[in-house]
Amino acid sequence: MTGIASIESRRAAEDDRFLKDESKMGGGYADTVFFPENEAEISAVLKWCAEKKLKATVAGGGTGITGAAVPFGGVVISMEKFNNIIGLGFKNGRFFLKVQAAVTLSKIAETLRMKETSKFKELTENALRSFEDSPDTWCYPVDPTEMSAQIGGTAATNASGAATYRFGPTRNWIKSLVVTLPDGNVQKIERGKCFADASGEFDFAGKRFKRCAYEMPDCKNAAGLYSKQGMDIIDLFIGSEGILGVISELEIWLEKKTPSLSVVQFFPSDSDAFSFVKKLKKSALSPDFIEFIGESGLDLIDSRIKSGCMTLDIPEFRENQRSAVFFDISMDKNAAGSLEKEASGLIEHPEDSWCAWENSETERIKAFRHAVPESVNATIAEIRKNYPKVHKLGTDFAVADDKFDELAAFYRETLKKSGLKHAVFGHIGNNHLHINMLPADYDELEKAKEIYALMAKKALELKGTVSAEHGIGKLKHKYLEMMFGEEGINEMRRVKKVFDPDMLLNNGNMFQ
Ligand SMILES: Cc1cc2nc3c(=O)[nH]c(=O)nc-3n(C[C@H](O)[C@H](O)[C@H](O)COP(=O)(O)OP(=O)(O)OC[C@H]3O[C@@H](n4cnc5c(N)ncnc54)[C@H](O)[C@@H]3O)c2cc1C
């Protein structure tokens, strides 16, 4: 067995990088940070923690916004030495990449863009030849915005982003995982090999246990341990926020990159934009994503531009351009003619469209799309000069297609009644809007918290989720309990204890 003393470590107090994440949740502390470089070393750290009853928190890229990577005692296991792209394979007509967990999304994107195959250690000869000889390029299509996130972190959180509309979340792109369980046992988990039987039982890694006795909501979701009739064991680990094991290696599917046309379509009101989205979803255009900036979001950008707080290289909004829908359409050259016909039938006011094909122009549109979250953060920073404890409240709720209108109407009425400053934007293709409330002082902060809870209740009444992409971490326990009830949380705790009887690994994520 690898001795714990031979594993590189540092006192956690020497590097506060490991005591926080992008949630800015305070109070994190730990004794030691370990830097294992292979599974034997991860296993040794976990066995040592189990023996000493010490908590262990896994540190990925630290880009999470729910405090999931913030430790409260014990040790931190930094994944940073697992940073190699190992190889490339080809199966059933698809390429896949074999990567270590700490490889960032930006490194994956750059490696694929440049076809840097000389760095791969493991290669299937045929795969390499077709990859290098092909005039096409490939990409990993899951795009959770923050490219410094590690691929292991994105698997642990089942991250998703705008392109989830067409490609689905991280879960859909994982072929296999290598996971070290809390007892130190290392498992390669290949999709398609181990399923829950008819009574919901798994036979996995020498353990027999039942899946959680609930089903996941029928919408985009990142809340709670995954559970579904006949589910694959790999899906229990994906999105488990690291509470069941440490992911060290992954095989991820790739997708052919096709050039795309970016479109921004403006509308006089949010309800006009919503009607258009319904038509777009039913059309043959099959966009990669459908994103939205509502009236409140465009107003916020407009006021920041007019007051000189922000510059943005975009056309000036006209009177009737109050709400915007963004979508990208992959353009297969052969299909360009029929797509153009479909688009012209769909878009009633081409004078309110802004389309881009070339790189610099698509970058302008991207900057516009990201201008709302940036404006929200800048506005809150201003407010905090007088009220340091004020923060934004941003929802992450989603529902199924047939429930969206009711949720959107509830958002609109509730926000109007509250009088709170807000900005609405997000992944409308997945019925997943981020309602950002911007409290001006402490009274408004309390009011915003109440409204957030009311909106969560409404999303749940409509059989949706309290977190479609960011997860629960340490900040949203209350909402996970609203969603699954005490019974559901007990089910998650039961499954956690199958692997981790003393609840040491990533303690405090999802539940206590
Ligand atoms: C500006 C910004 C925009 C964002 N946009 C999106 C978005 O659009 N969609 C989205 O889904 N998220 C988004 N995020 C959140 C974040 O990028 C994702 O949650 C990401 O998946 C976290 O990856 P990470 O490597 O940084 O993980 P960390 O933050 O380090 O960790 C997250 C959780 O995963 C666990 N973990 C990390 N690595 C491993 C591992 N190897 N094995 C086991 N457990 C592990 C950690 O313990 C922790 O519980 C955004 C964040 C920022 C800052």
Side-chain angles (χ1 to χ4, degrees), residues 20-24 42 56-70 77 79 82 101-103 105 142-162 164 170 178-179 220 222 237 240-250 373 377 396 427 432 434 468-471 473-474 505-506 509:
K20 58 186 188 189
D21 65 6
E22 280 297 324
S23 67
K24 313 282 185 256
I42 298 175
T57 302
V58 189
T63 70
I65 49 182
T66 62
V70 180
I77 302 176
M79 296 307 294
F82 288 76
V103 175
L105 295 177
V142 186
D143 175 17
T145 318
E146 182 49 59
M147 297 297 276
S148 62
Q150 298 179 358
I151 187 74
T154 65
T157 55
N158 188 31
S160 55
T164 298
T170 299
V178 174
V179 178
K220 180 178 175 186
F237 286 86
S240 66
E241 301 193 359
I243 68 173
L244 302 179
V246 181
I247 300 166
S248 52
E249 195 179 289
L250 310 87
N377 292 341
D396 189 23
H427 318 300
H432 173 207
H434 295 303
E469 69 181 4
H470 292 145
K474 300 187 175 76
L505 185 62
N506 275 9
N509 282 357

Side-chain angles (χ1 to χ4, degrees), residues 228-506:
K228 202 172 183 183
Q229 203 177 12
M231 66 181 277
D232 192 310
I233 190 79
I234 199 168
D235 286 321
L236 179 62
F237 286 86
I238 300 168
S240 66
E241 301 193 359
I243 68 173
L244 302 179
V246 181
I247 300 166
S248 52
E249 195 179 289
L250 310 87
E251 287 173 319
I252 52 171
W253 293 110
L254 304 180
E255 175 74 14
K256 188 151 96 176
K257 212 167 161 48
T258 49
S260 55
L261 177 72
S262 298
V263 184
V264 186
Q265 182 67 35
F266 290 97
F267 297 92
S269 71
D270 288 352
S271 54
D272 291 307
F274 295 162
S275 306
F276 172 78
V277 168
K278 276 190 199 138
K279 284 194 272 174
L280 180 59
K281 280 171 140 182
K282 282 189 197 142
S283 78
L285 287 179
S286 178
D288 290 353
F289 62 75
I290 312 179
E291 297 283 297
F292 170 75
I293 300 183
E295 294 169 43
S296 52
L298 289 191
D299 283 349
L300 183 66
I301 295 180
D302 201 31
S303 68
R304 286 181 51 76
I305 293 175
K306 285 189 176 137
S307 62
C309 298
M310 186 166 91
T311 51
L312 199 58
D313 181 18
I314 56 170
E316 207 172 306
F317 303 135
R318 290 205 302 270
E319 192 93 330
N320 63 336
Q321 296 181 335
R322 305 282 330 278
S323 183
V325 174
F326 298 67
F327 55 102
D328 261 23
I329 311 165
S330 285
M331 295 291 281
D332 176 348
K333 278 197 186 107
N334 302 326
S338 60
L339 289 178
E340 208 178 310
K341 209 166 147 212
E342 181 83 20
S344 57
L346 195 70
I347 295 171
E348 286 171 26
H349 296 283
E351 69 280 12
D352 291 324
S353 291
W354 172 19
C355 300
W357 175 259
E358 298 295 333
N359 270 345
S360 60
E361 195 69 359
T362 50
E363 285 308 310
R364 280 176 74 204
I365 291 189
K366 207 169 178 184
F368 177 27
R369 193 151 64 80
H370 291 167
V372 196
E374 280 161 23
S375 299
V376 164
N377 292 341
T379 306
I380 283 290
E382 272 303 306
I383 296 168
R384 283 167 73 111
K385 286 183 186 158
N386 294 323
Y387 301 94
K389 289 192 178 145
V390 161
H391 55 86
K392 74 166 183 191
L393 277 99
T395 68
D396 189 23
F397 315 138
V399 290
D401 280 356
D402 60 338
K403 301 288 192 293
F404 178 71
D405 285 348
E406 192 175 338
L407 185 63
F410 184 81
Y411 285 158
R412 195 176 181 87
E413 272 164 39
T414 314
L415 288 167
K416 197 170 163 199
K417 253 192 253 160
S418 76
L420 288 175
K421 187 169 181 154
H422 60 274
V424 178
F425 65 95
H427 318 300
I428 194 165
N430 291 109
N431 311 307
H432 173 207
L433 296 183
H434 295 303
I435 312 293
N436 280 264
M437 291 175 270
L438 308 170
D441 57 31
Y442 295 130
D443 287 343
E444 287 203 355
L445 180 63
E446 290 313 307
K447 199 194 256 187
K449 286 181 186 167
E450 282 166 27
I451 290 170
Y452 183 99
L454 283 177
M455 290 177 175
K457 192 164 164 261
K458 185 70 185 175
L460 293 176
E461 270 168 30
L462 297 171
K463 309 240 172 301
T465 178
V466 293
S467 176
E469 69 181 4
H470 292 145
I472 300 300
K474 300 187 175 76
L475 295 175
K476 296 187 185 169
H477 289 190
K478 179 171 138 190
Y479 298 101
L480 189 69
E481 186 156 351
M482 268 170 84
M483 181 167 166
F484 289 100
E486 207 186 321
E487 246 172 69
I489 302 293
N490 283 338
E491 280 294 281
M492 292 182 214
R493 206 174 274 125
R494 173 181 63 75
V495 171
K496 160 94 172 140
K497 284 188 169 178
V498 170
F499 295 96
D500 186 4
D502 294 311
M503 310 262 292
L504 299 174
L505 185 62
N506 275 9

